[in-house]
Amino acid sequence: MNELLEKITGWLGAAASWAVWAAAAAGAIVVLWFVWKAVGKRGSTASSPSDELTIDVMRLGTEGPPPTSPRLEFYNLPVRLALIVMAPAGRVRDLPPIPQWGDLYDAIVPGLSAVVAAHRPKICRWPAQPSARGFAHLFFQHVRLPGQSGKGTPWSSAAGMMKVEGQTVLVGMVFRTAEPSAHGQEVIESEEHWLRILRVV
């Protein structure tokens, strides 16, 4: 009888140990599941590549055009170049590193590289875009100007295409005047269009 009781007690002890182990394993699985869900949820709320393109114009400074040369004019109004964004178009080769963009600036408007050096705008490189109009839309969407697309404020912008050695490059710029103006957003339809709206003096 005692031997039987000892066997039963042993079985119960083994079963209890197995139950404890199983409960611990189940608990670990539950904890891992919650951790996985939390990480997945945090990842899903992280900023998308599109969100990373957004630029707050109000953080580009409140200064107007510098009083010294070189001077940049947008429709004959002196402006400060506050931002310049470039992106390759379509499947063309990638742009050179930002420190080598001097030739690209001067291809847009002669003397613009000197303006960039003097005005020290924020410079950004965006991923390739399929078309000039699509890039302009994306630029205006992510670089929003105050007021009615900048009209009636010191802020204005332009975005579109230019070409360097046969390669299409997409360009967006933001300007700030000393006083509010009637200019807003300008879509650049051709490389000659830049020369009609911008002048370095």
Side-chain angles (χ1 to χ4, degrees):
M1 186 68 176
N2 290 337
E3 184 178 349
L4 178 60
L5 289 175
E6 288 177 1
K7 286 184 178 181
I8 293 174
T9 303
W11 293 338
L12 291 176
S17 298
W18 175 260
V20 170
W21 183 89
I29 292 172
V30 171
V31 169
L32 288 174
W33 184 83
F34 277 109
V35 169
W36 177 78
K37 291 293 286 184
V39 171
K41 185 176 181 180
R42 185 170 55 186
S44 66
T45 58
S47 59
S48 68
S50 180
D51 292 335
E52 292 173 1
L53 302 181
T54 300
I55 297 171
D56 184 357
V57 171
M58 295 297 102
R59 293 181 175 270
L60 298 177
T62 58
E63 304 85 5
T68 57
S69 297
R71 187 173 70 178
L72 180 65
E73 293 183 349
F74 178 61
Y75 281 117
N76 299 318
L77 282 176
V79 295
R80 173 175 63 89
L81 179 59
L83 169 71
I84 184 165
V85 171
M86 286 197 189
R91 299 179 180 178
V92 299
R93 64 182 187 274
D94 199 5
L95 299 179
I98 289 177
Q100 300 176 19
W101 282 8
D103 292 341
L104 298 180
Y105 300 143
D106 288 336
I108 302 169
V109 178
L112 188 61
S113 61
V115 171
V116 172
H119 292 200
R120 301 177 65 83
K122 180 181 178 67
I123 301 173
C124 296
R125 178 196 199 109
W126 280 10
Q129 302 298 320
S131 68
R133 278 204 164 270
F135 169 79
H137 175 75
L138 190 71
F139 182 80
F140 296 143
Q141 178 184 359
H142 288 278
V143 188
R144 293 184 180 276
L145 302 181
Q148 187 179 356
S149 299
K151 293 181 179 180
T153 78
W155 296 99
S156 53
S157 60
M161 59 85 67
M162 51 86 68
K163 287 188 177 181
V164 180
E165 300 178 352
Q167 176 187 1
T168 299
V169 177
L170 305 173
V171 183
M173 298 186 195
V174 172
F175 316 102
R176 183 179 169 91
T177 56
E179 302 291 337
S181 75
H183 300 307
Q185 298 172 339
E186 182 92 6
V187 177
I188 305 301
E189 303 287 355
S190 66
E191 51 189 321
E192 295 81 11
H193 195 159
W194 290 106
L195 297 174
R196 296 199 299 268
I197 67 171
L198 295 179
R199 183 174 65 160
V200 178
V201 295

